[in-house]
Amino acid sequence: MISKLKDFLGFDIKEEKYKLSHDETFGMIADAKKPDKWVFSTCGYCGVGCGLYIGVKDGKAVYTKGNPKHFVNQGTLCPKGLSEHQMLNSPHRIQTPLIKQNGELKPATWDEAFTKVSSEFKRIQKEHGNKAVAVIGTGQFLTEEFYTLGKFVQLGLRTNNYDGNTTLCMASAVMGYKQSLGSDGSTSSYEDFALADTIFLVGANIADNHPILTLHVNKNPKKKVIVIDPRASKTSQMADVYVPVKPRTDLALYNGLAYIVMEQGWEDEGYIKANTNGYKELKKHLQDYPPQEVANITGIDVKTLYELAREFVSSKSVITGWTMGVNQSFMGTDTVSAIINLHLLTGHIGREGTGPFSITGQCNAMGTRETGFTSSLPGYRNFGDEKALKEYAEIVNVPQEIIPRERGYKYAEIIDAIDRGE
């Protein structure tokens, strides 16, 4: 009764329960959760890839804190990252390897699992050839793990049937970059959000899906944010200009903006002449996208179209960020190329605060593409490029003949090949 009375009157502040003490890594921290040690890691949720520390107490993860020295999140974390350690202790997690015996999955040791997989891979490849084995990866590996896996698959297992989530969520960006720039490598980075004069966000609700990115945007005192999206989202609420485009009309919109740039003579002729080809073909193609026609398709009035085009060309630095709204959309690959075309026409590429920037869906979807998979050799080297193949062979010190010379099955094709028994 006395305890309850103290509680009610505010005398009992539960000093022992909420006591703080010094931690070498993070300063003052609650005793109840003070870890025995901190383990450095990377958040595995969205595409931002925040650095974090996991606090371990009595062998269990009890705390997650943002890494203050990590340039992406600089010590901050969103609610997903802050609660990530709770997933490690979920009762639904499988914590041991499972091997099927008599039709049922049974727990096994790691040694048993390694031996089983190794012997089966060897048997299958001996009986059916190296390409009878395929590998599907995730977007949560660290880059070093992707590097190791890529070499193991392409040079160890000697199969080119290796793909990951990047083909499911980023295939449009991969092919858009390749057909427009010749290489599947992003031209921009998070730092450019803090340096751009104008930020276009297309089909990207970063406030909900990539929360820490909004910190980079908000660090920019001179920014103007233009959100193009059918959805009224948290991101549209932080925009200076919100453009509610009709669904599936992004391609028409960007072709229409390019038409206006050419019509008004706003293109960067010097940049175009020095760095691009296909200008005349593009101009001919864009004749199908005059402003009034684009207005009819997109639901955006002609005046707004001209204002968007003028904003694009009048800013010193423009970055266009897009996510699944473009990559998973109707004719997504061509939409990516249309965005890139507008940057090439205006010279807004290859400088600080500029460029077309595909914001990835998972924290290291790019890792698959950087270290070799079904679509390329490591370092964005294209299959069939003998000079690139020779260069790679020399770097990793292997015979050229064991390096794949053609692309393998992509994700969906691997599944189909499994169904065929291939």
Side-chain angles (χ1 to χ4, degrees):
M1 186 66 184
I2 292 175
S3 175
K4 288 183 179 179
L5 188 60
K6 280 184 175 181
D7 240 356
F8 177 73
L9 296 173
F11 294 153
D12 188 357
I13 58 172
K14 295 183 170 58
E15 184 177 354
E16 286 302 314
K17 182 177 180 181
Y18 297 110
K19 184 181 177 184
L20 301 177
S21 57
H22 180 73
D23 177 82
E24 289 186 5
T25 306
F26 288 104
M28 301 304 287
I29 197 166
D31 262 10
K33 286 186 176 181
K34 187 177 178 181
D36 303 322
K37 63 177 180 178
W38 294 97
V39 178
F40 172 71
S41 190
T42 305
C43 185
Y45 280 110
C46 77
V48 178
C50 295
L52 51 78
Y53 280 98
I54 300 169
V56 179
K57 187 180 181 72
D58 299 327
K60 283 193 172 183
V62 296
Y63 219 131
T64 310
K65 296 273 281 184
N67 178 3
K69 294 182 179 179
H70 199 284
F71 98 94
V72 169
N73 56 310
Q74 298 172 348
T76 61
L77 287 175
C78 78
K80 290 181 282 187
L82 287 169
S83 62
E84 189 158 8
H85 63 279
Q86 295 174 9
M87 295 299 295
L88 298 177
N89 303 319
S90 168
H92 303 294
R93 289 189 73 228
I94 297 171
Q95 299 190 33
T96 63
L98 301 174
I99 295 178
K100 189 171 282 188
Q101 298 174 3
N102 301 320
E104 286 189 33
L105 288 170
K106 302 285 186 180
T109 67
W110 282 107
D111 282 344
E112 288 172 332
F114 287 139
T115 302
K116 175 76 172 177
V117 172
S118 175
S119 61
E120 282 298 290
F121 274 19
K122 289 174 183 174
R123 179 189 65 78
I124 291 166
Q125 290 189 311
K126 184 176 180 180
E127 293 178 11
H128 304 286
N130 291 338
K131 294 183 181 180
V133 168
V135 175
I136 293 175
T138 176
Q140 275 79 14
F141 280 176
L142 300 178
T143 300
E144 294 84 353
E145 293 169 334
F146 272 127
Y147 173 77
T148 306
L149 180 62
K151 287 181 76 173
F152 172 63
V153 175
Q154 290 185 333
L155 307 181
L157 294 175
R158 300 190 188 180
T159 177
N160 55 358
N161 298 324
Y162 164 39
D163 205 359
N165 79 296
T166 190
T167 292
L168 298 183
C169 73
M170 303 295 290
S172 297
V174 172
M175 292 312 298
Y177 278 132
K178 280 194 170 186
Q179 71 181 11
S180 293
L181 303 175
S183 175
D184 170 32
S186 176
T187 65
S188 305
S189 69
Y190 295 159
E191 291 170 307
D192 290 314
F193 282 117
L195 299 169
D197 289 312
T198 304
I199 300 169
F200 281 80
L201 294 172
V202 189
N205 182 14
I206 64 170
D208 272 326
N209 299 325
H210 301 82
I212 301 301
L213 270 192
T214 61
L215 301 182
H216 289 264
V217 173
N218 291 333
K219 280 192 299 186
N220 187 338
K222 62 179 181 179
K223 67 183 182 300
K224 182 172 185 178
V225 178
I226 298 174
V227 172
I228 299 171
D229 201 317
R231 306 162 296 176
S233 64
K234 282 185 183 177
T235 306
S236 70
Q237 291 172 7
M238 62 181 266
D240 296 291
V241 178
Y242 168 49
V243 183
V245 66
K246 285 182 182 177
R248 301 193 300 275
T249 64
D250 306 84
L251 178 58
L253 170 61
Y254 269 86
N255 279 337
L257 295 179
Y259 177 102
I260 292 171
V261 168
M262 288 183 169
E263 175 198 61
Q264 297 296 313
W266 290 340
E267 63 265 54
D268 187 332
E269 293 181 0
Y271 184 88
I272 292 168
K273 188 174 181 180
N275 299 289
T276 69
N277 55 43
Y279 175 81
K280 290 181 180 178
E281 292 84 349
L282 176 63
K283 190 167 187 176
K284 182 180 179 182
H285 172 69
L286 293 178
Q287 298 313 301
D288 293 333
Y289 295 92
Q292 189 56 61
E293 179 63 21
V294 172
N296 295 337
I297 295 170
T298 63
I300 302 169
D301 62 81
V302 172
K303 181 183 176 184
T304 301
L305 291 173
Y306 275 91
E307 287 172 352
L308 289 173
R310 188 180 295 108
E311 182 68 42
F312 205 97
V313 299
S314 62
S315 297
K316 290 182 179 179
S317 53
V318 178
I319 185 170
T320 303
W322 71 88
T323 61
M324 300 308 120
V326 169
N327 290 336
Q328 299 283 343
S329 71
F330 176 71
M331 298 186 74
T333 297
D334 288 339
T335 303
V336 170
S337 285
I339 292 171
I340 295 172
N341 283 342
L342 193 57
H343 278 270
L344 292 174
L345 281 172
T346 55
H348 285 313
I349 189 169
R351 294 180 287 105
E352 283 189 343
T354 66
F357 184 35
S358 174
I359 304 167
T360 187
Q362 294 190 27
C363 57
N364 202 7
M366 281 303 293
T368 306
R369 288 140 66 184
E370 288 170 339
T371 54
F373 73 128
T374 185
S375 184
S376 63
L377 293 171
Y380 310 119
R381 295 174 175 87
N382 292 322
F383 290 122
D385 185 338
E386 287 297 315
K387 182 180 177 182
L389 183 146
K390 183 179 178 182
E391 177 187 55
Y392 176 57
E394 289 176 355
I395 290 171
V396 295
N397 194 27
V398 298
Q400 293 180 36
E401 56 268 21
I402 75 169
I403 298 176
R405 280 175 159 76
E406 59 185 13
R407 66 175 295 148
Y409 287 151
K410 56 180 178 282
Y411 205 117
E413 291 170 338
I414 290 174
I415 304 301
D416 290 340
I418 292 170
D419 287 341
R420 292 194 301 269
E422 188 178 327

